[in-house]
Amino acid sequence: SMLIVMPTMQSMGGGNYLRRMRKIVTEEAPWKDSPHGFLVFGDILPLVDAVDEVFTESPPIIAAVALVVIFLMSGAAFRSLLIPVRLLGTVVVTLVIVSGSIVFAYQYASGWTGESAGVYWFVGLCSVPLVIGLTIDYDVFLISRIYEFRHRGFTTEASILRGMAKQSTTITTAGIIMTIAFSSLMLADVTVLNQFGFILVTASLADTFVVRTMLVPALLGFFPETNWWPGKVPPPLKTHLVDVGGLDEEEEENGVSSGGGGLFDDDVFA
């Protein structure tokens, strides 16, 4: 006799149902002492195996590549061992926000059933590198500006405020543009494209208005002068957070200090 069961692989629990059924037949086998046997077959099983293989091999590769790129590139750019760690923290926060948002939206709040319910299996996996790149991109823009002010002799706290003041408008504008561009995917009737759009829009908004504006400055504010270790930075002679003497950007770049710090020349680096 033959029993035909046709679960939908893309539906919630379809793959788990097939895995459980095959485990019962091949491993638990309560009929092993019987002369009869059972066999599970079908064209969906290879897809289940492929999904399992992808989720077994891909996450370690993605994590390893992301860690190497973040630590090597940002560490070399800022000559620091601590900046990459703090960048990694911002990436993790963004991924947590995005993951929680899409699971809540498509698995619980949408009310969809059948094939449309839940998150499609490769959406999350494929979007992780995109979210990491998006997060690192914005954060490096801000930290680069902070790093520039720190090398002019400002304290880290003053550099953070000045960097945010100089760079925030550009980053916010870029984030809004990216959000509008990605939002077009959310208008698609195809569930996969819709979910990709949701992930990218959420990542852009979270990184533009939460991570970059609050988390990055807060992390840099802990033990501020140790951020640049083991690299060399000039002594923090400029402690004023804002220009109080009417200095413009050109005078500031020429090394004139408005807070009583004197000239900012090569002697400061000695």
Side-chain angles (χ1 to χ4, degrees), residues 215-239:
L215 186 60
V216 172
L219 290 177
L220 292 176
F222 287 105
F223 307 105
E225 296 306 328
T226 62
N227 285 309
W228 322 111
W229 181 86
K232 301 295 184 181
V233 292
L237 300 181
K238 299 180 180 180
T239 59

Side-chain angles (χ1 to χ4, degrees), residues 1 17 28 32 38 59 71 82 86 108-109 113 123 127 134 138 143 157-158 169 173-174 183 201 226 232 245 251 264:
S1 62
Y17 180 81
E28 300 179 7
K32 59 183 177 180
F38 292 85
F71 274 88
L82 298 180
R86 304 192 183 206
Y108 297 103
T113 59
V123 168
S127 61
L134 193 64
Y138 289 166
I143 295 178
E157 293 90 341
T169 302
T173 303
S183 63
V201 167
T226 62
K232 301 295 184 181
E251 292 174 327
F264 181 50

Side-chain angles (χ1 to χ4, degrees), residues 65-75 84-85 87-88 91 132 136:
V65 172
L67 287 174
V68 169
V69 170
I70 291 174
F71 274 88
L72 289 184
M73 299 299 292
S74 61
V85 176
L87 280 175
L88 182 62
V91 170
I132 292 176
I136 291 296

Side-chain angles (χ1 to χ4, degrees), residues 33-67:
D33 296 329
S34 171
H36 305 287
F38 292 85
L39 177 64
V40 179
F41 64 93
D43 57 354
I44 298 181
L45 287 175
L47 179 58
V48 174
D49 295 334
V51 171
D52 292 340
E53 189 71 17
V54 168
F55 276 98
T56 300
E57 294 184 356
S58 297
I61 296 175
I62 294 175
V65 172
L67 287 174

Side-chain angles (χ1 to χ4, degrees), residues 42 46 126 188 190 226 236 258:
C126 294
V190 181
T226 62
S258 62

